[in-house]
Amino acid sequence: MGGHQSFPRVTLPKERVVIVTGANTGIGYETAKWIAMMGATVILACRFEERAREAMTKMNAEFQAEKDRKTEGVVDYPELRIEFMKLDCASLQSVMDFVKEFKNSGRQLHVLVCNAGIGLHKQAYTDEGYELMFQVNYLSQYLLAAHLLPIMKTSGEDCRIVLVSSEAHRYSEFNLDRIQGKHCNEQNFGRVLFYGNSKAFQIMQMFSMNRRLQNSNVTVLSLHPGMVETEVSRNFKDMKTFTVLTTLTKFVGQMKNPFEGAETTINAAVNPALKGVRDVYYTDCKPATIHNRVTNTQNQESLWTYTQECLKKGAFLPDDIVKCLEGE
Ligand SMILES: NC(=O)c1ccc[n+]([C@@H]2O[C@H](COP(=O)([O-])OP(=O)(O)OC[C@H]3O[C@@H](n4cnc5c(N)ncnc54)[C@H](OP(=O)(O)O)[C@@H]3O)[C@@H](O)[C@H]2O)c1
């Protein structure tokens, strides 16, 4: 019932500024391209400049083709308003550099799409000492949102933070003592579990942030894009069960292409009907259920405190940012 849902083809003003992390390929690529094709200024926050610039060239070529086809909702600019800015989510320092550059641009910010992610990685740690998926998928993008929040709060009505999570949040545990996987070795490190944890933390972040942003112009939404054929599998090609699962999914036709996979993200970012909506996790552009481990307020608040402790250790979270995060 209800049929296939997509995002409304709205026209966005060029003054609407959107950041998409991990925008050079996969779901992030389609998200950035479509939001730019609807008229907004989109910043591709990517770790490799060359990959991002190749993606921008491809986006503009595809944009010309959509214009020629007179595709509904595509603006008539000579070129897309897209820009590259360097962001490596495996480095908190890189997040800080990105924030500094963005602040220096004097721009407003209306939508932050936290899409960059790695799936089912082997046990690995960043230079800052955190489990890789924890930092790339969650911690760095929490830090990014925290530092961009003061700008979003003064950027006018209907600003949104969109967290690209996953149904994998169901395959998680909540145990702060084990959160970095230091009790594991390479053999017994649960790659699905630690990926699932990072995706669960994003949804928990949505609830905790929204609690503090109740009376503000900024809302936080989260989503599962579906099973999407992208480069996400590059880290787990060695895992036989996933190869079988992927093949089976393709066979029964449930695997989405990157555009179909981006529809739920784009909807969360641009659908005017979602103005003021908080605390919703979407799949196929529709609200979906969340595991109760993740909706548990006590768990959310413990994670919030733990996250801030991690970031304060490296002096990444100054008092003014904490105050803004806490709704002051
Ligand atoms: N595909 C699925 O079935 C699926 C299902 C559920 C959720 N998701 C989520 O959807 C999001 C997008 O995934 P995708 O399927 O589009 O995967 P993808 O094709 O592998 O794209 C991931 C993007 O994240 C970027 N990225 C990875 N590590 C980064 C880092 N350290 N710093 C900055 N950017 C980094 C990648 O950049 P590089 O090209 O430089 O590596 C790439 O642009 C992820 O958060 C993923 O967890 C995907």
Side-chain angles (χ1 to χ4, degrees):
M1 260 182 284
H4 175 79
Q5 282 199 24
S6 187
F7 55 93
R9 272 44 173 187
V10 289
T11 302
L12 303 168
K14 64 180 185 318
E15 292 75 22
R16 196 146 175 93
V17 181
V18 179
I19 295 176
V20 182
T21 67
N24 57 282
T25 187
I27 297 163
Y29 173 91
E30 289 295 329
T31 302
K33 183 185 78 179
W34 270 92
I35 295 177
M37 290 203 304
M38 290 191 278
T41 297
V42 181
I43 292 162
L44 284 71
C46 303
R47 59 176 162 166
F48 297 125
E49 176 158 6
E50 206 183 322
R51 292 200 82 186
R53 297 223 177 268
E54 273 169 25
M56 287 160 71
T57 304
K58 192 166 161 238
M59 281 180 191
N60 264 314
E62 289 171 5
F63 170 53
Q64 298 308 331
E66 298 291 356
K67 278 199 295 185
D68 293 346
R69 255 183 251 133
K70 302 204 181 320
T71 303
E72 186 200 348
V74 171
V75 291
D76 193 24
Y77 299 165
E79 290 223 309
L80 293 174
R81 299 180 68 90
I82 46 178
E83 289 171 39
F84 159 76
M85 275 180 60
K86 187 176 169 58
L87 173 73
D88 181 354
C89 295
S91 158
L92 297 173
Q93 190 50 55
S94 172
V95 175
M96 299 307 291
D97 294 344
F98 178 95
V99 167
K100 192 172 168 201
E101 193 185 337
F102 187 80
K103 278 187 179 161
N104 285 344
S105 74
R107 283 205 162 103
Q108 293 193 319
L109 178 62
H110 304 95
V111 184
L112 170 65
V113 180
C114 296
N115 164 81
I118 43 170
L120 315 188
H121 205 281
K122 288 180 182 162
Q123 187 177 27
Y125 292 90
T126 64
D127 289 346
E128 281 133 349
Y130 298 104
E131 191 279 315
L132 188 62
M133 291 185 281
F134 172 83
Q135 183 161 334
V136 171
N137 298 354
Y138 168 67
L139 186 67
S140 285
Q141 298 187 77
Y142 175 103
L143 181 65
L144 183 65
H147 278 270
L148 295 175
L149 200 52
I151 300 175
M152 296 185 88
K153 280 190 178 176
T154 55
S155 292
E157 58 177 24
D158 195 12
C159 292
R160 305 180 189 184
I161 298 173
V162 177
L163 304 171
V164 181
S165 176
S166 171
E167 275 296 276
H169 81 268
R170 298 182 195 284
Y171 307 101
S172 59
E173 66 171 12
F174 189 73
N175 183 339
L176 291 178
D177 295 333
R178 296 154 62 101
I179 204 165
Q180 299 303 332
K182 296 272 165 85
H183 59 289
C184 302
N185 57 38
E186 261 183 54
Q187 278 69 46
N188 65 14
F189 178 81
R191 288 157 71 170
V192 177
L193 179 71
F194 282 86
Y195 175 68
N197 286 350
S198 71
K199 293 286 140 184
F201 299 159
Q202 290 181 290
I203 305 175
M204 292 161 86
Q205 173 191 343
M206 169 182 78
F207 286 110
S208 300
M209 272 197 159
N210 277 328
R211 254 194 298 284
R212 289 153 171 93
L213 292 171
Q214 273 311 323
N215 301 316
S216 84
N217 60 329
V218 185
T219 55
V220 191
L221 299 169
S222 64
L223 63 102
H224 167 62
M227 283 282 280
V228 192
E229 195 158 11
T230 65
E231 293 183 50
V232 78
S233 55
R234 61 190 130 166
N235 295 313
F236 53 86
K237 287 215 157 60
D238 58 316
M239 292 174 78
K240 284 203 181 76
T241 42
F242 274 90
T243 313
V244 172
L245 191 67
T246 309
T247 313
L248 275 177
T249 311
K250 267 190 216 166
F251 187 67
V252 295
Q254 280 176 359
M255 197 68 137
K256 293 181 176 181
N257 65 36
F259 167 72
E260 293 163 339
E263 286 176 297
T264 304
T265 308
I266 302 167
N267 188 56
V270 309
N271 191 334
L274 303 189
K275 179 179 170 187
V277 171
R278 297 176 186 279
D279 289 342
V280 183
Y281 166 76
Y282 294 92
T283 60
D284 294 325
C285 300
K286 291 175 256 184
T289 60
I290 306 169
H291 194 281
N292 56 18
R293 189 184 310 110
V294 172
T295 54
N296 180 301
T297 309
Q298 213 177 329
N299 289 349
Q300 291 161 7
E301 288 301 311
S302 304
L303 177 70
W304 184 263
T305 306
Y306 174 86
T307 304
Q308 294 206 356
E309 280 167 6
C310 292
L311 296 172
K312 281 177 187 165
K313 242 184 267 165
F316 292 110
L317 221 46
D319 288 348
D320 58 324
I321 296 299
V322 175
K323 276 189 183 158
C324 183
L325 266 175
E326 294 301 332
E328 289 173 34

